[in-house]
Amino acid sequence: MKGSRAVRTTIALKLLMAVSGVLFIGFVLGHMYGNLKAFAGEGAFNEYAHHLRELGEPMLPHEGFLWIMRVGLIVAVIVHIACAVALWRRAAAARPVQYVAKKNAGSSLSSRTMRWGGITILVFVVWHLLNFTIVKVNPSNGETGGDNPYALLVDTFDLWWMTILYLLAMVALGLHLHHGTFSSLQTLGLTGSAVSRARARATGWIVAIVVAGGFSLVPLSVLVGIIEK
Amino acid sequence: MNLTLKIWRQNGPDDKGGIHTYQVSGISQDMSFLEMLDVLNEQLNEKGEEPVAFDSDCREGICGMCSLMINGEAHGPEVTTTCQLHMRSFNDGDTITVEPWRAEPFPVIKDLVVDRSAFDRIIQSGGFISANTGSAPEANSVPAPRDKAMRAFNVATCIGCGACVAACPNGSASLFLGAKITHLGELPQGQPERWTRVVDMVGQHDHEGFGGCTNIGECAAACPKEIPLDVISQLNKDLRTALKNGH
Amino acid sequence: MAGSTLHDGLTPLNEPSVQKSDDAHGYYTLGEKVVDEAAPTGPIADRWTTRKFENRLVNPANRRKLDVIIVGTGLAGGAAAATLGEAGYNVKSFCYQDSPRRAHSIAAQGGINAAKNYKEDGDSTFRLFYDTVKGGDYRSRESNVYRLAEVSANIIDQCVAQGVPFARDYGGLLDNRSFGGVQVSRTFYARGQTGQQLLIGAYQAMERQVAAGTVESFTRHEMLELIVVDDGAGPRARGIIARDMVTGEIETHLADVVVLATGGYGNVFFLSTNAMGSNVTAAWRAHRKGAYMANPCYTQIHPTCIPVSGDHQSKLTLMSESLRNDGRIWVPKKKEDCDKDPRDIPEEDRDYYLERIYPSFGNLVPRDIASRQAKNMCDEGRGVGPLVGDFRRGVYLDLGDAIKRLGKDAIEEKYDNLLDMYERITGENPYEMPMRIYPAVHYVMGGLWVDYHLQSNIPGLFVSGEANFSDHGANRLGASALMQGLADGYFVLPNTIREYLADGPFEKIDESHPAVLEAKQNVEERITRFLSINGTRSADSYHKELGNIMWEYCGMERTEEGLRKAIDLIRELKADFWSNLKVLGSADTLNQSLEKAGRVADFIELGELMCIDALNRRESCGGHFRGESQTEDGEALRHDDEFAYVAAWEWGGDSLEGGQPVLHKEDLIYTAIEMKQRSYK
């Protein structure tokens, strides 16, 4: 349409999703790396958790870096979700009558589960924040507000069903990252040839396996007793 | 071959429509899928039942008029158009479900016939190079690098059939858009209007009610001309550049 | 060869012909000669330039007041709509497809000729002109063909500017290939999809004008009648009656001028390489309103198509002729071998008939000979492939020797796309089994009669592209159809139509004008009639039967006896059609059976005229081969003394009611090129 504006297109929405998604990828990579500190023992892990609060001092106030990151992530979450909802609604409106028979010929499981997978991850993140950040619920004894992150971690994953819950969430995250990484590169216009597209797909696999795998190591290790109090 | 056909029948745009089941027999595997439907229609005509309406014209895979969702796949199980799909791709006794393209911007006109004029309006919005007749310079005065010209040609083979939209769970026409953006954007003649073109065409695409792309790749798998997914990346890149340039 | 300056256009090289034989006696009446009053004079190279200057201009402010109807959106129609829209006229464009981009120009494979001489191989406007006239077997008009050759170079410039992705060499400049036996490389191409790319270019140019508001596009609309109004100064084409194929509404569209760019009528043969919807209705309705139909019997039959596989076949697909370079064509010597696996037939039982009959040319004989001999073999009962009706329609094209000689890889590289397509359609692997081929109808040189301005004998009715008769004579060279369509649409029509429109706008008429009402009523009555016959047979079944008659008696070889029989059969078929047709459904929705009925009704009448034209023309020329007119070697024999004329037929009423077409002859006078007998030896 004459007079169209680039910022008002569906592709602009997708670009916002891609950029916010890339932020998440960076965040989960850092978060996963930090979690691996659990293998270094209680002292090192708690020191790391504490250090996060002091990062950037004295240039930044106490917990300044953490809050910048939190605000950034909250904005990214809002943008990511708002764009997803807008695009989801458009998609639903674009196909009001469903097929009686429909096969999938070119799509991966991960690409088809982005929306419900995203909701799963959102629900999980809410619990995860209650579990470790905001309320610090210890599911093994029902206590809240403890100040030993390492103990909370070990107590949580000593429960087999908690570990399974977290592992399932990592499956959802892995799937989301598998397609999300490729999709963000495609949306950013970085996959303009067969070769670059294959590379972007490989990057999706690597990010998904490294992040979901890395995150899963800690709960699994707690459950089998490699990490203990 | 004997076949059971489950075909979507709908009397007009406002009719609710539904699946009807027909039996056809004596189908040869050398027939094309549309010739099989011709046989059905001849049978229906004899019985006094109105034939099934479906679109087709060139029947050699180039005009883009034929469509049909066959057993849940746009243009059926082979990478080709429905008119070039032959019955040897099916087995005696098969049940085949035939539906029209489904998308809000492709309303059903009757039975299996849909209105794809939204594609024309997308082209009207910018899918061209403004070159009035008679104003063209000598053809060889502007060389076009061979690899770019080849890429332009490869994606210019889009036949505008709409299979990409039909296959896309989001009802997006991004592959169609991307093919035209890449075709014109790869050629030197396409540069002056490149950034307004992409913005206007995407704007029209959205205005028509097509969905957004989620890069899942059903479109490229359904495309009878094998237009690759990277045209959508090109589309995104061009739009991003247009955004940067303030369009 | 004559040079362009040798003749100044004043001295004819041949005399007007006097017809002695009269095979079609009793089937027609002879009318006055028809003269192209717009024909230019003077040196042939200057004629078009001079005419462009002489033709009057239309003031840009007046163009907005002039309405132009263009029916058809192929190369000729789409290009004209775009160009006239750019010029500022009010254009209404009509097509029966769901989008202008579907027109059948899209299916052309090979390329488009242009006298650019990029290869510095001696090409020139005059050489392209000469090749085209000679290729047309001296049955086309010199001035028209010269103009075609002259504007060919501009077409390439225009298309490149529009973004048509022609093949390029490593330096980024345009590539050419040679085509159709000419000795220069003048064919521009976009792999095997040149028609598609050119059409998309024209389509995009037209859609740009739709956005600009100068062109209004009516898709899924079929023209069913021409409106001719006599405003006191004689009859003029002033509009059309069209049916909205979605709602069934019968619409009246009025204009100052009407352009038909509705393509060819090859589908009169039912099976052809044309699209399913390609039809003659628009042209035939105009013919019935007084427009002359010229040389309707000139049909081009292409030798290498994928053969018919069964009774339910709807369409034939072309395979590039280049296969004949490496393939050997044969049929079994014994009839009983015809249903054997060809790999089990020993060498000594194979008849390489082209190599046998034409030892010097072998498999590379011209199109018409290759086609005719394939038919002869099948008629002898030595055809191969599935039985269709009573006999097998196919001959082998065997790549076996070439694969042995050059290796499978070399053949694959050369013909990969083609061989894939063959396998998809036939289910047979051409690397293992000899391919089967058969000739098929794919272009008609005949069409509505037009003058140098592309105006028919009805003032205000212009005809362009394959729908007119003007440029290809009795045979069209490869890669020339695209050239003609675009030449007419981009460059010729816009420059000639202004001479007519300079007298406009014409007297306003509205939908209540008696001529308009009558046209609309005719259409409505016809539709009601189709729906109310309520017989037993579908339109398709009549179409198939007509196709069989045409193919059998008015196909590759025509004889007096056969044509007489065909005319009788067609008349019987016509009577049966109007009493036993069955069309279900209603007129006020999408009704494909109803659409077909109208088209078949017109094809039947056209088929009859084609047979009469073929019967009258007791000579062989180009695509028209009369069994009675051949040399001792079985080659085509022209009779310039009798038949160097265009046969322009006027509608003379329905033959079932005693009507007879009226023949108007237009003498073909050559001033720049001397007529010669084509020779294949």
Side-chain angles (χ1 to χ4, degrees):
Chain A
M1 266 173 100
K2 285 274 170 260
S4 293
R5 301 283 304 156
V7 290
R8 304 186 68 174
T9 58
T10 47
I11 297 179
L13 291 177
K14 287 166 46 170
L15 280 167
L16 287 172
M17 287 200 77
V19 170
S20 53
V22 168
L23 279 178
F24 292 138
I25 293 170
F27 169 73
V28 290
L29 277 168
H31 185 359
M32 184 274 294
Y33 173 75
N35 285 10
L36 294 180
K37 286 276 178 193
F39 286 101
E42 182 167 0
F45 186 78
N46 285 350
E47 166 63 27
Y48 160 74
H50 183 68
H51 177 70
L52 278 182
R53 281 152 183 79
E54 291 173 349
L55 203 69
E57 283 184 42
M59 288 281 282
L60 294 171
H62 187 63
E63 294 196 349
F65 170 77
L66 211 55
W67 276 107
I68 289 172
M69 200 160 76
R70 282 172 179 163
V71 170
L73 286 171
I74 288 168
V75 171
V77 164
I78 291 169
V79 166
H80 205 74
I81 293 174
C83 294
V85 168
L87 288 166
W88 195 346
R89 288 177 60 174
R90 277 197 70 92
R95 170 77 37 79
V97 183
Q98 298 300 313
Y99 290 107
V100 174
K102 175 76 173 76
K103 281 185 191 152
N104 298 305
S107 55
S108 58
L109 176 69
S110 62
S111 68
R112 291 195 301 273
T113 51
M114 288 303 274
R115 286 168 188 148
W116 289 107
I119 290 174
T120 307
I121 293 166
L122 181 65
V123 170
F124 163 74
V125 166
V126 171
W127 158 248
H128 182 58
L129 290 174
L130 293 173
N131 190 185
F132 284 108
T133 310
I134 303 168
V135 189
K136 299 183 182 168
V137 182
N138 187 328
S140 66
N141 54 21
E143 286 177 12
T144 55
D147 59 357
N148 183 342
Y150 185 80
L152 182 57
L153 178 134
V154 176
D155 282 350
T156 300
F157 295 124
D158 264 339
L159 297 171
W160 65 268
W161 53 274
M162 260 294 139
T163 300
I164 293 203
L165 189 101
Y166 268 78
L167 289 178
L168 286 176
M170 287 313 107
V171 171
L173 181 62
L175 286 170
H176 206 77
L177 285 172
H178 172 252
H179 182 66
T181 304
F182 163 76
S183 186
S184 57
L185 292 170
Q186 167 96 355
T187 298
L188 290 168
L190 304 175
T191 53
S193 67
V195 176
S196 57
R197 203 164 72 244
R199 282 201 199 112
R201 293 234 186 253
T203 310
W205 277 106
I206 292 166
V207 170
I209 290 169
V210 168
V211 171
F215 272 133
S216 302
L217 280 178
V218 174
L220 276 172
S221 300
V222 172
L223 194 65
V224 300
I226 296 171
I227 295 174
E228 53 188 4
K229 274 200 249 188
Chain B
M1 288 164 88
N2 298 316
L3 300 165
T4 304
L5 299 173
K6 296 185 152 209
I7 298 181
W8 183 268
R9 308 256 1 215
Q10 181 173 338
N11 234 329
D14 303 323
D15 184 31
K16 196 162 173 296
I19 294 281
H20 286 227
T21 305
Y22 302 99
Q23 307 291 332
V24 284
S25 51
I27 298 300
S28 140
Q29 59 167 14
D30 289 325
M31 287 179 190
S32 72
F33 195 84
L34 297 179
E35 285 164 358
M36 183 274 292
L37 290 181
D38 290 342
V39 171
L40 170 71
N41 277 346
E42 195 70 17
Q43 284 176 13
L44 291 177
N45 198 60
E46 273 168 33
K47 280 197 296 186
E49 194 175 335
E50 203 179 332
V52 179
F54 62 89
D55 270 330
S56 84
D57 204 26
C58 78
R59 294 208 181 182
E60 52 186 281
I62 193 76
C63 77
M65 184 103 171
C66 65
S67 55
L68 304 188
M69 205 68 173
I70 300 165
N71 281 340
E73 291 181 273
H75 292 301
E78 312 281 341
V79 182
T80 188
T81 54
T82 296
C83 65
Q84 290 286 289
L85 174 67
H86 283 71
M87 294 313 290
R88 65 182 75 89
S89 299
F90 299 89
N91 297 310
D92 188 26
D94 277 0
T95 297
I96 306 175
T97 306
V98 189
E99 297 173 78
W101 286 168
R102 294 279 186 213
E104 181 65 15
F106 287 172
V108 173
I109 292 173
K110 188 175 183 176
D111 295 341
L112 303 170
V113 176
V114 300
D115 177 356
R116 286 170 287 194
S117 53
F119 271 12
D120 290 335
R121 291 189 292 274
I122 289 178
I123 297 296
Q124 282 157 27
S125 70
F128 48 75
I129 290 170
S130 298
N132 278 7
T133 304
S135 65
E138 152 56 44
N140 261 349
S141 60
V142 187
R146 192 166 185 263
D147 53 340
K148 283 176 171 279
M150 294 261 276
R151 185 171 187 228
F153 169 78
N154 283 334
V155 299
T157 56
C158 168
I159 55 174
C161 64
C164 46
V165 176
C168 176
N170 304 313
S172 172
S174 290
L175 197 72
F176 171 77
L177 265 181
K180 191 47 65 194
I181 290 298
T182 307
H183 162 205
L184 299 178
E186 285 286 9
L187 296 170
Q189 292 81 5
Q191 301 311 310
E193 296 163 291
R194 186 166 180 182
W195 313 122
T196 51
R197 175 185 306 125
V198 66
V199 174
D200 289 343
M201 288 182 75
V202 175
Q204 186 69 36
H205 167 274
D206 295 351
H207 176 74
E208 294 289 344
F210 292 104
C213 173
T214 51
N215 301 318
I216 75 167
E218 284 293 338
C219 53
C223 177
K225 295 293 147 186
E226 300 179 78
I227 307 276
L229 207 53
D230 53 52
V231 300
I232 298 182
S233 181
Q234 186 71 55
L235 168 71
N236 294 332
K237 188 178 180 181
D238 278 22
L239 188 101
R240 181 161 57 82
T241 313
L243 197 62
K244 202 174 74 188
N245 294 351
H247 289 287
Chain C
M1 190 190 85
S4 59
T5 51
L6 295 185
H7 303 284
D8 59 4
L10 302 173
T11 329
L13 300 174
N14 60 312
E15 297 298 320
S17 52
V18 181
Q19 188 175 341
K20 297 182 281 279
S21 54
D22 193 12
D23 285 0
H25 177 74
Y27 288 100
Y28 75 102
T29 49
L30 188 63
E32 301 252 306
K33 281 202 173 179
V34 59
V35 178
D36 175 3
E37 283 172 4
T41 53
I44 193 153
D46 300 337
R47 288 178 190 173
W48 177 233
T49 311
T50 311
R51 178 54 53 89
K52 277 193 290 186
F53 175 74
E54 287 168 355
N55 279 352
R56 288 172 293 163
L57 300 171
V58 179
N59 175 336
N62 282 344
R63 293 179 199 162
R64 281 192 292 276
K65 298 176 199 152
L66 290 160
D67 299 323
V68 180
I69 283 175
I70 302 176
V71 187
T73 59
L75 292 184
T83 307
L84 294 173
E86 285 160 12
Y89 298 100
N90 278 324
V91 179
K92 283 182 174 181
S93 157
F94 293 80
C95 67
Y96 70 79
Q97 298 93 338
D98 74 331
S99 163
R101 68 179 294 156
R102 314 266 187 236
H104 200 55
S105 303
I106 205 160
Q109 298 171 356
I112 176 166
N113 287 332
K116 279 282 196 188
N117 194 27
Y118 281 162
K119 297 283 173 187
E120 191 55 34
D121 55 1
D123 199 11
S124 62
T125 299
F126 197 90
R127 192 178 297 280
L128 176 53
F129 156 65
Y130 178 81
D131 286 348
T132 306
V133 170
K134 183 181 165 206
D137 221 355
Y138 304 93
R139 289 293 175 265
S140 49
R141 272 199 208 127
E142 268 189 350
S143 300
N144 291 51
V145 179
Y146 195 91
R147 176 178 65 190
L148 176 67
E150 189 177 332
V151 301
S152 65
N154 303 67
I155 296 172
I156 303 303
D157 298 342
Q158 183 61 31
C159 293
V160 166
Q162 287 171 345
V164 171
F166 284 119
R168 287 173 184 270
D169 59 24
Y170 288 96
L173 301 176
L174 294 162
D175 195 18
N176 294 115
R177 59 183 171 199
S178 61
F179 208 89
V182 293
Q183 289 157 304
V184 292
S185 276
R186 63 159 76 102
T187 304
F188 294 77
Y189 64 101
R191 208 167 300 163
Q193 283 150 264
T194 318
Q196 180 197 26
Q197 295 309 315
L198 295 173
L199 182 69
I200 297 293
Y203 158 71
Q204 288 172 184
M206 175 182 146
E207 292 296 343
R208 172 173 160 246
Q209 292 309 309
V210 173
T214 60
V215 175
E216 195 178 353
S217 171
F218 295 84
T219 60
R220 291 194 193 273
H221 273 69
E222 182 163 24
M223 167 180 161
L224 294 177
E225 194 58 277
L226 179 73
I227 297 170
V228 180
V229 174
D230 192 336
D231 56 9
R236 288 179 193 281
R238 291 298 305 272
I240 63 170
I241 305 289
R243 179 171 179 268
D244 179 332
M245 293 154 74
V246 174
T247 64
E249 195 182 331
I250 305 300
E251 299 172 357
T252 302
H253 296 274
L254 300 171
D256 295 287
V257 67
V258 177
V259 179
L260 298 187
T262 49
Y265 47 78
N267 268 350
V268 67
F269 292 86
F270 185 71
L271 286 179
S272 78
T273 63
N274 284 6
M276 298 305 287
S278 301
N279 67 80
V280 75
T281 289
W284 196 254
R285 298 334 286 175
H287 174 62
R288 289 187 58 137
K289 283 276 172 136
Y292 296 167
M293 180 64 86
N295 300 332
C297 78
Y298 289 164
T299 313
Q300 186 167 73
I301 294 175
H302 196 287
T304 54
C305 292
I306 298 175
V308 179
S309 67
D311 293 334
H312 298 293
Q313 185 123 7
S314 60
K315 146 94 194 173
L316 296 173
T317 305
L318 196 76
M319 301 266 288
S320 170
E321 256 183 306
S322 57
L323 283 167
R324 285 203 279 149
N325 292 327
D326 285 304
R328 296 180 71 194
I329 295 172
W330 62 276
V331 291
K333 283 184 180 164
K334 299 181 238 165
K335 286 181 190 175
E336 55 272 27
D337 282 352
C338 287
D339 54 356
K340 268 193 191 167
D341 184 327
R343 289 168 297 187
D344 297 338
I345 301 175
E347 197 62 27
E348 62 269 22
D349 288 339
R350 301 179 176 189
D351 179 10
Y352 295 91
Y353 59 90
L354 289 178
E355 297 171 29
R356 173 172 58 82
I357 307 172
Y358 306 98
S360 56
F361 274 71
N363 295 300
L364 293 175
V365 290
R367 275 184 186 180
D368 51 346
I369 295 192
S371 296
R372 212 161 52 240
Q373 290 299 357
K375 180 180 189 293
N376 289 344
M377 296 303 131
C378 296
D379 288 352
E380 282 176 25
R382 296 196 287 142
V384 296
L387 270 176
V388 179
D390 293 337
F391 66 110
R392 300 168 204 277
R393 290 177 174 179
V395 299
Y396 290 123
L397 190 149
D398 199 337
L399 291 170
D401 282 358
I403 292 172
K404 264 184 227 150
R405 193 174 67 247
L406 305 166
K408 191 187 162 198
D409 291 348
I411 296 296
E412 200 173 313
E413 198 184 323
K414 248 172 152 170
Y415 303 116
D416 192 34
N417 283 353
L418 276 176
L419 299 184
D420 278 355
M421 181 176 77
Y422 178 83
E423 186 167 2
R424 189 184 297 288
I425 293 175
T426 62
E428 288 172 9
N429 181 345
Y431 295 106
E432 287 166 12
M433 290 276 276
M435 301 165 81
R436 289 176 294 110
I437 54 160
Y438 201 63
V441 173
H442 104 119
Y443 189 88
V444 293
M445 282 70 68
L448 290 174
W449 184 90
V450 290
D451 64 14
Y452 187 68
H453 284 178
L454 305 184
Q455 184 167 222
S456 73
N457 58 306
I458 300 177
L461 177 69
F462 288 73
V463 190
S464 62
E466 191 179 347
N468 74 28
F469 87 105
S470 74
D471 293 0
H472 303 297
N475 178 48
R476 180 180 63 75
L477 287 182
S480 286
L482 301 181
M483 175 172 67
Q484 188 217 341
L486 289 180
D488 286 0
Y490 284 134
F491 297 107
V492 178
L493 203 56
N495 278 306
T496 57
I497 211 167
R498 59 182 158 88
E499 166 65 22
Y500 178 77
L501 287 175
D503 287 331
F506 300 105
E507 185 191 338
K508 277 275 167 241
I509 52 169
D510 62 21
E511 297 193 10
S512 61
H513 190 285
V516 177
L517 289 176
E518 191 203 332
K520 191 171 179 184
Q521 200 185 344
N522 280 347
V523 168
E524 282 163 347
E525 279 172 8
R526 206 162 109 107
I527 287 173
T528 311
R529 195 165 165 206
F530 288 135
L531 288 166
S532 60
I533 297 172
N534 219 356
T536 60
R537 286 181 65 181
S538 68
D540 245 6
S541 77
Y542 285 104
H543 193 181
K544 269 185 197 179
E545 193 175 331
L546 173 69
N548 285 336
I549 297 169
M550 293 301 292
W551 182 248
E552 191 60 33
Y553 303 109
C554 196
M556 281 176 278
E557 182 169 346
R558 297 137 180 204
T559 62
E560 182 180 348
E561 190 194 351
L563 289 164
R564 285 177 184 277
K565 185 169 174 192
I567 294 167
D568 288 345
L569 289 171
I570 293 171
R571 287 178 179 172
E572 281 168 31
L573 189 71
K574 181 157 65 173
D576 192 60
F577 177 89
W578 286 107
S579 59
N580 199 19
L581 176 72
K582 181 178 186 180
V583 179
L584 295 168
S586 65
D588 56 4
T589 64
L590 179 74
N591 188 339
Q592 292 169 330
S593 308
L594 180 63
E595 294 160 19
K596 275 182 206 158
R599 293 170 194 167
V600 173
D602 292 334
F603 275 136
I604 293 174
E605 292 181 353
L606 166 75
E608 189 181 342
L609 182 65
M610 285 172 74
C611 291
I612 293 172
D613 184 41
L615 186 58
N616 173 59
R617 191 169 283 277
R618 194 190 176 88
E619 68 161 348
S620 298
C621 58
H624 169 66
F625 188 88
R626 275 289 295 266
E628 296 89 350
S629 180
Q630 48 185 315
T631 63
E632 281 175 12
D633 311 333
E635 309 295 358
L637 185 63
R638 261 189 4 240
H639 297 294
D640 294 339
D641 52 338
E642 284 187 82
F643 293 102
Y645 66 79
V646 173
W649 298 90
E650 181 186 355
W651 174 251
D654 190 336
S655 60
L656 294 184
E657 291 156 14
Q660 280 186 343
V662 183
L663 173 61
H664 300 275
K665 297 178 184 178
E666 179 200 336
D667 289 318
L668 288 169
I669 304 290
Y670 286 84
T671 58
I673 295 178
E674 203 170 347
M675 292 172 116
K676 289 180 185 152
Q677 195 77 24
R678 266 198 329 176
S679 166
Y680 312 128
K681 295 281 166 174

